[in-house]
Amino acid sequence: MSGNVGMEALIPIVNKVQDAFTQVGMNSVIDLPQIAVVGGQSAGKSSVLENCVGKDFLPRGSGIVTRRPLILQLNYVEKGEWGEFLHAKGKKFTDFDEIRREIEAETDRMTGSNKGISDIPINLRVFSPHVLNLTLIDLPGITKVPIGDQPPDIEFQIRGMIMQFISKPSCLILAVTPANSDLANSDALKLAKEVDPEGIRTIGVLTKLDLMDDGTDAKEILDNKVLPLRRGYIGVVNRSQRDIEGKKDIKQAQAAERKYFLSHPAYRHLAERAGTAFLQKTLNQQLTNHIREVLPSLRSKLEQQLTSMESEVKEFKNLGMSGGREDKSAKPRMMMQMVNRVTHDFEEMIEGGGNHVDTTSLSGGAKINTIFHFRFPGYLNEGRLDEKELRKEIGFAIRNIHGVRSGLFTPDAAFEMTVKRQIETLAPPSMKCIQQVSTELHEVIMKCIDKIKNYPRLQAEIDNLVSGYLRECETHCREQIQQLVEVELSYINTNHDDFIGFNSTAKDESVKDVQNAGSESQQQKDVSKLIKKGWLSTTNVGLTKGLSREYWFVLYTDALAWFKDESERDQKYYLTIDGVKMKSSEEEEEGGGLFGHRKFKIQLFHPNARYLFREYRELTLYAKDEDDMEDWRASFLRAGIYTHRSQMDMEDLEDEDHKPKFERLFEDPQLERQVEVIRTYVNSYMAIVRKTFKDIVPKHIMCLMVNKMKVFIEIELMPSLYGAGNPAELMEESEDEVRRRQELLGMYDACKDALKTISEVTAKTSSTPLPAPVHSNNHHSAPSPNMNASRMPKSDSAHSLSQSQRSRPPPDLPNRPTGRSAPNAGATRPAPAPPGGGSRRPPPPSRPARPN
């Protein structure tokens, strides 16, 4: 397959570019345009397509021969020459006569043997070392009158079939028209004009020049004076049916075609711009233009890809790992860099700052801060007894201390016993705080070492060492907090400056003073102290049942207010929270909802079922997620809104008349007064202890866990890794990392080679400018420049034009050199008689002359 020399010249260039980009993972970066051949029946379309390919393989005959679209995909291979059909996968056709027979058989199989048509294409792939990777399309000839089994709307079906292909912007249109027909009625030109009105991708092809009537020629058409096209017309002389039957190959046919144009007086001046060779040259130049057009964008992509790889490649080279080989002496240095990266990331996540800040959720130091100052105080309050439970516990303690005697004075032991029980309840929330901080530290460690996952052994060893040290720190911290609880239990300091009992031994005789002191102490506190602000949804504030609406809630130590928005100007309600209880839960939401498929609900209410506000007995609030619910729940606990508990089983406390003994306790006014005194003292003392725990527990955790972890990772981790194993073994990469590094370095080199190839191709090829638009309303306007007009000798083309416009009689030019126009080549048309024997006036230039 060597009939298209121009295409073969492009093959090394395209293949070099394609190979360079295949190395960088950018396959099929040069998507060469499709070439569709459009024309009427028997216009010579198939011959034109075969000439583009350089091989004889299409069916021949009279009438409508091409009855199904043929999509011909040309594929470059280094060796061999064969064809493959999509409908016959796996079968190679090495005989091109057999390919022709297969096309005929497949056409008949789908359309029948009586001239039927089908829009289902035949897909043929031709592999050859003489072709480029592009697509050629042979379409059925345009016809108006149905024959045989053709449908009545045959014209519209073929038209739709053609438009389906030529409407694509990447499709180059060869509008084929026979020279012995009226150009003004060319359906091929009409269809091309519809999809390509600017004429950017349309080339007119004039066939059957050798079959024109005697005394006529198509010179003015080929000079682009009649129905001018932006890219002009190219005349070709195809093989006749006798030539095909006589096995005249394409090379011989092109030689005869060349001789025809050089010897014909009307076409001699444009012999260099006509014929199959020039058509091939025009198409190949179009492919060259396309290649050069895409190279700048490809260069830009390559440069961006190269820039993105620079830092990592530089790192590999600094570590002695370039060129696909590893420098064993670089392993310790590389391990130190990995450890330094972990240290830096851990410090950054704990202390904050850095270039990579999480904008979706709290983590690291920010999460620990939330645990210390927001959740932990709520956990401390969560263990507190409500007033009823506390009074009941104090009452039992007093009665048990007095025994069989009725006490006249309030026993100090009841106060101390109750306080110690309350202090013991502070241990679980403190341990919970330690556990949560430990979990967050481990999460931070996992995120830090995830960046060195390409070194699995090093990652595993760091995880083992750091996690083990974290467990040691956690254990030590728990022991210290437990010791803190024991310290508080060891001595109840009633002489504390903040304790309201002051230094009096007659506490039971100064109940009124104590209560007044408690009242004054309470007044010293800011009753409007802000605890939390945020958005919550509610379903029962002036809304239809089942609907929800968001409000801006503000929680104080003694009240809960909600507003329309965060500006806090439009207050909806102000609720005092004295005696209010809460309960929280999760529930599945029906049909979606405000925050997702689960609802996180907090309910506020009075335990005695009285109205909470307005006509509502409870206030139902919805948080956006579980963390938000937990934060609000902790805030409510800090405000004194405790979790509602079910009533205790009082059966063992009932007497014969089923009246609870606890209620009967307070039928004694003296006991009731003693319980109230101790309750006031307990609340005062526990406020001091809780304040101490809120301060000291976070300090212990920071000192014994967070700071120690930072020191260990920064100072002790590297020596521990050396003690755990050989750095060369620890720095063994995963197979994926080795492959990725080799691919990266190979990609980097390939990108540089591809950029070099682009520079070479740009330097070795040239593109032709797009011809200027033509004005088709004037058939005799000056011809627009041809695609390769810039390659013609300027003096020759100008000479040809000036001589043709003068309309002088042509002299006898038997030995005129090829490639030059005769001085009067276009003025007259020679008769079939010997040249120079006479001349006739040319017909009107609006259309080629035809005999009557």
Side-chain angles (χ1 to χ4, degrees):
M1 188 178 291
S2 57
N4 191 337
V5 179
M7 184 181 290
E8 292 189 25
L10 271 180
I11 289 173
I13 295 176
V14 175
N15 287 346
K16 190 172 184 179
V17 175
Q18 294 281 28
D19 290 344
F21 280 93
T22 300
Q23 293 297 320
V24 298
M26 298 170 65
N27 296 323
S28 301
V29 292
I30 301 182
D31 186 14
L32 295 177
Q34 295 179 340
I35 300 174
V37 185
V38 182
Q41 288 186 16
S42 302
K45 303 184 305 302
S46 297
S47 295
V48 170
L49 188 144
E50 284 182 337
N51 289 338
C52 293
V53 177
K55 198 69 176 179
D56 201 0
F57 65 97
L58 293 175
R60 299 287 181 174
S62 59
I64 181 169
V65 177
T66 304
R67 293 181 284 131
R68 290 178 63 183
L70 174 66
I71 300 178
L72 174 62
Q73 294 179 313
L74 303 181
N75 299 272
Y76 172 82
V77 291
E78 294 183 356
K79 294 181 180 180
E81 200 168 56
W82 73 91
E84 292 180 359
F85 287 94
L86 184 62
H87 62 267
K89 292 182 179 180
K91 182 178 180 181
K92 289 186 177 181
F93 294 80
T94 55
D95 183 354
F96 280 81
D97 288 334
E98 187 180 357
I99 289 178
R100 180 188 299 109
R101 291 191 293 270
E102 180 64 24
I103 293 174
E104 293 172 344
E106 180 63 16
T107 299
D108 290 342
R109 187 186 67 81
M110 183 63 65
T111 64
S113 57
N114 195 17
K115 304 300 183 183
I117 66 167
S118 172
D119 61 352
I120 301 176
I122 298 174
N123 290 273
L124 170 62
R125 301 179 68 185
V126 172
F127 300 84
S128 171
H130 309 293
V131 298
L132 286 173
N133 295 329
L134 59 94
T135 301
L136 303 170
I137 304 171
D138 189 19
L139 295 166
I142 303 169
T143 185
K144 299 182 181 297
V145 180
I147 61 173
D149 292 335
Q150 295 175 357
D153 61 344
I154 180 72
E155 177 184 0
F156 299 102
Q157 287 194 22
I158 293 179
R159 173 188 170 88
M161 197 183 308
I162 294 172
M163 297 294 284
Q164 178 182 353
F165 291 95
I166 67 174
S167 297
K168 298 177 181 178
S170 62
C171 183
L172 191 64
I173 305 170
L174 296 185
V176 179
T177 305
N180 56 359
S181 66
D182 190 350
L183 187 67
N185 295 326
S186 172
D187 290 318
L189 292 176
K190 181 179 179 182
L191 292 176
K193 186 71 174 177
E194 289 184 23
V195 298
D196 182 32
E198 299 296 326
I200 295 175
R201 51 190 180 92
T202 302
I203 299 175
V205 179
L206 213 59
T207 61
K208 302 188 178 182
L209 292 168
D210 55 331
L211 301 181
M212 295 184 69
D213 295 335
D214 293 342
T216 62
D217 59 57
K219 174 185 174 299
E220 290 194 351
I221 299 175
L222 296 178
D223 279 339
N224 210 27
K225 293 182 178 181
V226 179
L227 295 177
L229 295 175
R230 192 166 188 171
R231 295 191 181 276
Y233 295 86
I234 299 175
V236 296
V237 176
N238 296 326
R239 292 174 297 170
S240 65
Q241 190 63 30
R242 180 180 299 175
D243 293 336
I244 295 171
E245 293 172 356
K247 302 298 182 181
K248 185 176 185 179
D249 65 22
I250 291 179
K251 278 190 175 181
Q252 292 175 336
Q254 290 182 5
E257 179 189 48
R258 172 75 174 168
K259 183 177 180 180
Y260 171 82
F261 282 112
L262 288 174
S263 61
H264 198 292
Y267 308 133
R268 188 181 301 161
H269 72 289
L270 49 78
E272 297 300 324
R273 294 185 288 115
T276 298
F278 182 70
L279 176 60
Q280 293 174 345
K281 183 179 179 182
T282 301
L283 295 177
N284 292 331
Q285 183 59 52
Q286 180 68 16
L287 298 179
T288 302
N289 290 349
H290 179 78
I291 293 170
R292 288 178 60 88
E293 286 172 3
V294 301
L295 288 184
S297 63
L298 296 178
R299 180 193 294 275
S300 177
K301 290 180 181 179
L302 278 175
E303 290 173 345
Q304 292 176 3
Q305 191 168 355
L306 203 63
T307 302
S308 66
M309 294 186 291
E310 284 284 357
S311 59
E312 199 166 0
V313 170
K314 184 177 179 180
E315 180 180 346
F316 283 139
K317 290 183 177 180
N318 291 338
L319 293 172
M321 304 176 70
S322 60
R325 296 179 299 176
E326 299 180 10
D327 182 4
K328 299 296 183 182
S329 63
K331 293 284 188 177
R333 184 171 70 252
M334 189 172 184
M335 187 173 75
M336 183 175 293
Q337 288 189 5
M338 297 295 104
V339 172
N340 288 340
R341 179 183 298 177
V342 171
T343 302
H344 175 268
D345 291 345
F346 185 82
E347 177 81 16
E348 199 172 75
M349 292 191 70
I350 296 299
E351 300 297 334
N355 298 325
H356 305 286
V357 178
D358 189 353
T359 58
T360 59
S361 63
L362 292 179
S363 61
K367 185 69 170 290
I368 293 173
N369 180 274
T370 300
I371 296 170
F372 283 164
H373 304 297
F374 200 75
R375 294 191 177 180
F376 178 54
Y379 297 151
L380 290 177
N381 287 336
E382 190 174 20
R384 295 175 59 176
L385 294 176
D386 61 21
E387 292 300 313
K388 184 176 180 180
E389 293 292 328
L390 179 60
R391 291 165 65 88
K392 181 169 56 176
E393 186 174 304
I394 294 172
F396 283 132
I398 294 173
R399 292 294 300 269
N400 288 329
I401 290 173
H402 287 160
V404 296
R405 296 180 297 275
S406 297
L408 298 177
F409 303 100
T410 304
D412 290 348
F415 164 73
E416 188 167 327
M417 291 172 57
T418 306
V419 165
K420 287 184 177 181
R421 282 177 57 84
Q422 290 289 295
I423 292 175
E424 289 173 350
T425 64
L426 301 181
S430 300
M431 300 304 172
K432 185 177 181 180
C433 182
I434 294 173
Q435 177 61 45
Q436 290 191 352
V437 173
S438 177
T439 300
E440 184 58 30
L441 286 174
H442 191 262
E443 289 292 328
V444 171
I445 294 168
M446 290 297 99
K447 290 179 181 178
C448 293
I449 65 175
D450 183 65
K451 298 179 181 179
I452 59 173
K453 61 184 177 182
N454 297 323
Y455 305 93
R457 296 192 62 179
L458 177 65
Q459 183 187 36
E461 192 60 39
I462 291 178
D463 182 19
N464 181 51
L465 291 172
V466 177
S467 298
Y469 188 76
L470 176 60
R471 287 192 295 271
E472 294 178 8
C473 292
E474 181 181 350
T475 300
H476 182 51
C477 188
R478 287 178 180 273
E479 292 173 353
Q480 291 297 310
I481 296 301
Q482 186 61 44
Q483 188 175 9
L484 176 63
V485 174
E486 293 173 0
V487 167
E488 290 290 343
L489 291 171
S490 66
Y491 179 64
I492 307 301
N493 182 18
T494 56
N495 288 324
H496 195 283
D497 292 340
D498 295 334
F499 183 55
I500 66 173
F502 48 88
N503 193 10
S504 173
T505 57
K507 298 175 184 176
D508 57 324
E509 297 173 355
S510 57
V511 173
K512 186 174 181 180
D513 293 337
V514 170
Q515 291 175 339
N516 290 337
S519 177
E520 291 173 2
S521 175
Q522 186 69 20
Q523 290 174 3
Q524 293 173 1
K525 298 170 65 177
D526 182 7
V527 295
S528 299
K529 182 179 179 182
L530 175 66
I531 295 180
K532 180 175 174 60
K533 295 182 178 182
W535 289 100
L536 288 171
S537 295
T538 182
T539 58
N540 58 346
V541 182
L543 296 173
T544 303
K545 185 176 181 181
L547 298 180
S548 60
R549 181 174 178 180
E550 278 193 318
Y551 289 97
W552 179 257
F553 282 80
V554 180
L555 177 62
Y556 304 100
T557 55
D558 65 340
L560 175 66
W562 55 92
F563 302 83
K564 180 180 180 181
D565 53 41
E566 60 265 38
S567 66
E568 300 182 13
R569 295 176 182 174
D570 184 5
Q571 180 174 294
K572 297 301 181 182
Y573 202 81
Y574 186 89
L575 172 66
T576 57
I577 57 177
D578 184 33
V580 174
K581 302 298 179 182
M582 73 168 171
K583 58 182 178 180
S584 58
S585 62
E586 295 181 25
E587 62 183 29
E588 292 295 329
E589 185 175 9
E590 297 181 1
L594 189 61
F595 294 115
H597 295 292
R598 289 192 303 167
K599 284 184 175 181
F600 301 92
K601 181 170 66 174
I602 300 175
Q603 292 174 289
L604 305 181
F605 56 93
H606 282 295
N608 56 7
R610 65 184 176 89
Y611 288 107
L612 183 67
F613 71 101
R614 295 177 183 168
E615 70 276 16
Y616 300 103
R617 298 185 185 274
E618 67 176 28
L619 175 63
T620 303
L621 304 174
Y622 294 97
K624 64 181 180 180
D625 53 36
E626 186 175 5
D627 284 344
D628 193 36
M629 181 182 72
E630 185 70 16
D631 290 342
W632 274 104
R633 185 166 169 271
S635 298
F636 285 133
L637 289 171
R638 290 174 61 189
I641 302 177
Y642 304 119
T643 302
H644 177 67
R645 298 178 180 177
S646 59
Q647 187 175 4
M648 292 180 58
D649 186 4
M650 304 290 290
E651 291 181 359
D652 61 330
L653 298 177
E654 293 181 350
D655 53 16
E656 292 81 359
D657 58 359
H658 301 290
K659 185 176 182 181
K661 294 179 181 180
F662 173 70
E663 292 184 6
R664 297 183 62 186
L665 292 177
F666 292 95
E667 294 176 357
D668 182 357
Q670 183 177 354
L671 179 60
E672 184 177 355
R673 184 164 56 89
Q674 292 175 349
V675 169
E676 184 64 23
V677 169
I678 293 179
R679 184 192 66 81
T680 304
Y681 288 155
V682 169
N683 285 341
S684 175
Y685 192 84
M686 287 307 301
I688 297 171
V689 177
R690 287 191 180 89
K691 184 177 180 180
T692 301
F693 269 68
K694 287 179 186 178
D695 180 64
I696 202 68
V697 170
K699 288 180 178 178
H700 273 69
I701 295 174
M702 282 298 299
C703 177
L704 301 177
M705 292 179 62
V706 179
N707 291 343
K708 279 194 171 184
M709 287 295 298
K710 289 164 59 178
V711 172
F712 176 80
I713 293 174
E714 183 177 358
I715 298 176
E716 300 180 32
L717 179 58
M718 194 67 184
S720 299
L721 287 171
Y722 272 100
N726 188 341
E729 296 177 355
L730 292 176
M731 290 304 297
E732 286 184 2
E733 299 172 277
S734 64
E735 294 181 0
D736 291 340
E737 174 62 11
V738 173
R739 182 167 55 253
R740 190 190 71 84
R741 174 167 51 82
Q742 292 174 347
E743 290 175 353
L744 177 68
L745 295 173
M747 183 83 68
Y748 183 77
D749 294 336
C751 281
K752 293 197 296 185
D753 292 341
L755 285 172
K756 183 179 179 181
T757 299
I758 288 177
S759 299
E760 293 176 355
V761 171
T762 304
K764 292 180 180 179
T765 60
S766 61
S767 60
T768 57
L770 182 68
V774 296
H775 303 285
S776 59
N777 57 347
N778 184 1
H779 291 183
H780 288 277
S781 61
S784 60
N786 194 278
M787 284 182 64
N788 286 346
S790 60
R791 297 194 175 187
M792 294 177 56
K794 184 176 181 181
S795 59
D796 291 352
S797 58
H799 181 70
S800 172
L801 179 60
S802 61
Q803 294 300 327
S804 64
Q805 290 174 339
R806 295 175 185 175
S807 301
R808 295 180 179 176
D812 188 8
L813 299 171
N815 297 320
R816 187 68 175 174
T818 62
R820 299 272 184 173
S821 300
N824 296 307
T828 62
R829 292 179 173 82
S839 64
R840 293 182 294 178
R841 298 290 298 173
S846 61
R847 54 180 287 181
R850 297 173 62 90
N852 294 329

